[in-house]
Amino acid sequence: MKVDRQEQDEARRERIARAAFELFARSGLDAISAQDIAQAAYVSRTNLYRYFPSKVHMLLAHFEKAVQASRDDALERLTAGANPQLVWDKVTARMADLGVRYRHLVGAVGQAVLGAPPEGATVPATRPGDGLRTAITLAALVQPVLLAMQAQGRLRPEANVQMLSALLVDAFILALLHGGHRDQRDVLRDWQERFSLLMHGALAPEATARDQVR
């Protein structure tokens, strides 16, 4: 009985987050009210706030689910023996596509994860720590790829993969917030430059030499 209640709560939470995101994707956060979301999710406003304290938290919940799906796909590919670089390319292409497609929502996600709004942006206020779970989810998406690179000898054995993952996440979000990109290709180019810069000291000398030969 307890399990059924937990499953019902989780299903309702996902339904609210999904309904909220669909509304946000069409009209943005500011144009959507709590009542709009409650009606779309078939719940009362009281129940809405029982599951989420704010609209930003609803957005983050849906975003985290999308990131987790990308991580599951990346892990499956890595387990099957795929080249970590190709897996990384697929992950970044997916994230760049989402970032460009929903650029009007990036500010709210970025503020929550980084703890500060982008310059000149008007986004709902968040509290310190609101985006911690999202930041951890994003870092967890990056870590398996870096660990696979380390296992192949492309990263220095002493490289701190956890710290490097967090740095890459911050760099990529900043690229979306301040890059002024026009399309997915611009985002990917910016990300690749930041990736190369951050990874320079972590790459094993042999891997760096191989890349230079290419």
Side-chain angles (χ1 to χ4, degrees), residues 152-155 204-214:
Q152 288 185 348
R154 292 185 60 81
L155 287 186
E206 297 80 4
T208 304
R210 286 198 300 268
D211 291 339
Q212 289 176 344
V213 168
R214 292 176 188 171

Short mmCIF file of all heavy atoms in Angstrom, two decimals, residues 152-155 204-214:
data_model
loop_
_atom_site.label_atom_id
_atom_site.label_comp_id
_atom_site.label_asym_id
_atom_site.label_seq_id
_atom_site.Cartn_x
_atom_site.Cartn_y
_atom_site.Cartn_z
N GLN A 152 40.93 4.43 -20.86
CA GLN A 152 41.65 4.22 -22.12
C GLN A 152 43.03 4.86 -22.10
O GLN A 152 43.79 4.73 -23.07
CB GLN A 152 40.85 4.79 -23.29
CG GLN A 152 39.61 4.00 -23.65
CD GLN A 152 38.93 4.54 -24.88
OE1 GLN A 152 39.23 5.65 -25.35
NE2 GLN A 152 38.00 3.77 -25.43
N GLY A 153 43.34 5.58 -21.04
CA GLY A 153 44.64 6.24 -20.96
C GLY A 153 44.69 7.60 -21.61
O GLY A 153 45.76 8.18 -21.77
N ARG A 154 43.52 8.14 -21.97
CA ARG A 154 43.49 9.46 -22.61
C ARG A 154 43.49 10.60 -21.59
O ARG A 154 43.81 11.73 -21.93
CB ARG A 154 42.27 9.58 -23.51
CG ARG A 154 42.31 8.67 -24.74
CD ARG A 154 41.12 8.92 -25.65
NE ARG A 154 41.08 10.28 -26.13
CZ ARG A 154 41.80 10.75 -27.16
NH1 ARG A 154 42.63 9.94 -27.79
NH2 ARG A 154 41.69 12.00 -27.54
N LEU A 155 43.13 10.28 -20.34
CA LEU A 155 43.22 11.25 -19.25
C LEU A 155 44.30 10.82 -18.28
O LEU A 155 44.52 9.62 -18.09
CB LEU A 155 41.89 11.35 -18.50
CG LEU A 155 40.71 12.06 -19.16
CD1 LEU A 155 39.56 12.16 -18.17
CD2 LEU A 155 41.09 13.43 -19.66
N ALA A 204 46.28 12.99 -20.97
CA ALA A 204 47.56 12.31 -20.84
C ALA A 204 48.49 12.77 -21.96
O ALA A 204 48.03 13.04 -23.07
CB ALA A 204 47.36 10.80 -20.92
N PRO A 205 49.80 12.90 -21.70
CA PRO A 205 50.73 13.37 -22.74
C PRO A 205 50.64 12.57 -24.02
O PRO A 205 50.72 13.12 -25.12
CB PRO A 205 52.10 13.19 -22.07
CG PRO A 205 51.82 13.27 -20.60
CD PRO A 205 50.46 12.64 -20.42
N GLU A 206 50.45 11.26 -23.91
CA GLU A 206 50.36 10.41 -25.11
C GLU A 206 49.13 10.77 -25.93
O GLU A 206 49.18 10.82 -27.15
CB GLU A 206 50.32 8.93 -24.72
CG GLU A 206 51.56 8.43 -24.00
CD GLU A 206 51.56 8.79 -22.52
OE1 GLU A 206 50.56 9.36 -22.03
OE2 GLU A 206 52.57 8.52 -21.85
N ALA A 207 48.02 11.04 -25.25
CA ALA A 207 46.79 11.39 -25.95
C ALA A 207 46.95 12.73 -26.66
O ALA A 207 46.50 12.91 -27.79
CB ALA A 207 45.61 11.44 -24.98
N THR A 208 47.59 13.69 -25.98
CA THR A 208 47.82 15.00 -26.58
C THR A 208 48.68 14.88 -27.83
O THR A 208 48.43 15.51 -28.85
CB THR A 208 48.51 15.94 -25.58
OG1 THR A 208 47.72 16.02 -24.38
CG2 THR A 208 48.69 17.33 -26.17
N ALA A 209 49.71 14.04 -27.75
CA ALA A 209 50.59 13.84 -28.90
C ALA A 209 49.83 13.22 -30.07
O ALA A 209 50.01 13.62 -31.22
CB ALA A 209 51.76 12.94 -28.50
N ARG A 210 48.94 12.25 -29.77
CA ARG A 210 48.15 11.61 -30.84
C ARG A 210 47.25 12.63 -31.52
O ARG A 210 47.11 12.65 -32.74
CB ARG A 210 47.31 10.48 -30.26
CG ARG A 210 48.09 9.22 -29.90
CD ARG A 210 47.16 8.03 -29.74
NE ARG A 210 46.17 8.26 -28.69
CZ ARG A 210 46.35 7.89 -27.43
NH1 ARG A 210 47.48 7.34 -27.05
NH2 ARG A 210 45.40 8.12 -26.53
N ASP A 211 46.63 13.50 -30.71
CA ASP A 211 45.73 14.50 -31.27
C ASP A 211 46.49 15.49 -32.15
O ASP A 211 46.00 15.94 -33.19
CB ASP A 211 45.01 15.27 -30.17
CG ASP A 211 44.01 14.36 -29.43
OD1 ASP A 211 43.62 13.33 -30.01
OD2 ASP A 211 43.62 14.69 -28.29
N GLN A 212 47.71 15.84 -31.76
CA GLN A 212 48.50 16.78 -32.54
C GLN A 212 48.92 16.17 -33.87
O GLN A 212 48.98 16.85 -34.89
CB GLN A 212 49.74 17.21 -31.75
CG GLN A 212 49.42 18.12 -30.57
CD GLN A 212 50.64 18.44 -29.74
OE1 GLN A 212 51.68 17.79 -29.84
NE2 GLN A 212 50.51 19.47 -28.89
N VAL A 213 49.18 14.86 -33.87
CA VAL A 213 49.56 14.19 -35.12
C VAL A 213 48.41 14.23 -36.10
O VAL A 213 48.57 14.42 -37.29
CB VAL A 213 49.98 12.72 -34.82
CG1 VAL A 213 50.10 11.94 -36.12
CG2 VAL A 213 51.29 12.69 -34.06
N ARG A 214 47.17 14.05 -35.56
CA ARG A 214 45.98 14.11 -36.41
C ARG A 214 45.77 15.51 -36.97
O ARG A 214 45.28 15.68 -38.04
CB ARG A 214 44.74 13.68 -35.60
CG ARG A 214 44.77 12.22 -35.21
CD ARG A 214 43.58 11.92 -34.33
NE ARG A 214 43.65 10.58 -33.79
CZ ARG A 214 42.84 10.10 -32.87
NH1 ARG A 214 41.87 10.85 -32.39
NH2 ARG A 214 42.96 8.87 -32.41
#
